[in-house]
């Protein structure tokens, strides 16, 4: 992967050169906010997968409320986006929505869902993210596809990034195995968000770290550019999307 100096450059290069890694499983390439916790118990995440092998590219915003209920906002069907893997609870909502991404500067991203969300992010390179990015850029694809290597990266990243537990591999809630390759990283230096007109308050760790399957929600805001892989869906072993409604 070519070295890019800013998250905007890296994200836009991924859009231009979108191509999932070769293989036969379910593969994704793109960028997004791995997660951002808020002190009052809210949680936001963003995925812009510019190319996938299960359907068209898509954008999705994840929201966890202080009670632990999840909503997934996406412009395409749940079976072709993140709810395919993470929505296995009747308390999970899938919401069809148009998601706009606007780079207002090399390190500033605005995420909007009309009449729903206005989320602003300021990103920054830190010694920890620069170190992890330098490692990630130089690793061969074979390393990122090794579960043993990803487990080692989890243990390395946890104290370095100060995120709490990290989940780069394992099983998602519907039972499929996954592996994440965040090859470039930046920290969320500042953020503000309004959801349905309400201010989500100050970013900060959740009182208790949460997870979706083996994907632990980082306790610190991180922006990543990279790849993701999931084993091929098998209806005899994996659960289909379960949601309570499709609120708009």
């Amino acid at each position: 992967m070519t070295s890019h100096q800013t998250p905007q450059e890296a994200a836009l290069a991924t859009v231009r050169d979108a191509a999932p890694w070769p293989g036969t499983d379910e593969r994704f390439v793109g960028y997004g906010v791995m997660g951002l916790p808020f002190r009052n118990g809210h949680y936001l995440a963003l995925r812009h997968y510019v190319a996938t092998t299960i359907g068209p590219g898509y954008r999705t915003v994840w929201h966890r409320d202080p009670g632990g209920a999840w909503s997934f906002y996406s412009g395409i069907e749940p079976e072709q986006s993140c709810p395919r893997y993470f929505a296995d609870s009747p308390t999970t909502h899938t919401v069809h929505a148009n998601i706009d991404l606007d780079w207002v500067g090399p390190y500033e991203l605005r995420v909007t869902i009309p009449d729903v969300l206005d989320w602003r992010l300021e990103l920054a390179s830190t010694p920890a993210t620069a170190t992890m990015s330098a490692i990630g850029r130089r690793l061969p694809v074979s390393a990122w596809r090794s579960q043993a290597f990803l487990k080692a990266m989890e243990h390395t990243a946890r104290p370095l990034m100060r995120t709490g537990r990290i989940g780069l591999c394992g099983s998602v809630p519907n039972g499929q195995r996954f592996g994440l390759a965040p090859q470039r990283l930046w920290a969320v230096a500042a953020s503000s968000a309004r959801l349905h007109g309400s201010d989500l308050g100050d970013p900060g760790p959740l009182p208790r770290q949460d997870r979706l399957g083996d994907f632990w929600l980082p306790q610190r805001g991180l922006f990543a550019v990279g790849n993701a892989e999931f084993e091929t869906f098998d209806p005899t072993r994996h659960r289909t999307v379960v949601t309570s409604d499709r609120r708009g």
Side-chain angles (χ1 to χ4, degrees), residues 120-239:
R120 300 168 189 249
L121 297 131
E122 295 181 20
L123 310 175
S125 180
T126 69
T129 62
T131 297
M132 296 300 292
S133 295
I135 295 171
R137 288 197 307 270
R138 290 167 173 77
L139 288 170
V141 174
S142 59
W144 284 113
R145 283 177 157 162
S146 165
Q147 296 272 304
F149 171 79
L150 291 178
K151 285 293 184 184
M153 285 287 285
E154 291 176 357
H155 292 294
T156 299
R158 180 176 180 178
L160 184 65
M161 305 298 295
R162 294 183 288 113
T163 56
R165 294 191 65 174
I166 290 285
L168 296 179
C169 62
S171 296
V172 286
N174 82 331
Q176 285 178 258
R177 301 286 298 176
F178 76 94
L180 303 179
Q183 295 156 288
R184 297 294 308 274
L185 288 169
W186 288 265
V188 177
S191 180
S192 63
R194 297 189 68 86
L195 182 69
H196 296 296
S198 297
D199 188 344
L200 296 191
D202 296 328
L206 297 179
R208 180 178 180 181
Q209 188 175 12
D210 201 356
R211 63 175 177 160
L212 292 167
D214 291 325
F215 176 69
W216 286 87
L217 306 173
Q219 287 281 60
R220 181 186 183 190
L222 289 175
F223 179 89
V225 177
N227 288 258
E229 297 185 317
F230 297 80
E231 69 173 314
T232 301
F233 181 83
D234 180 346
T236 67
R237 296 189 297 114
H238 304 135
R239 295 181 292 279

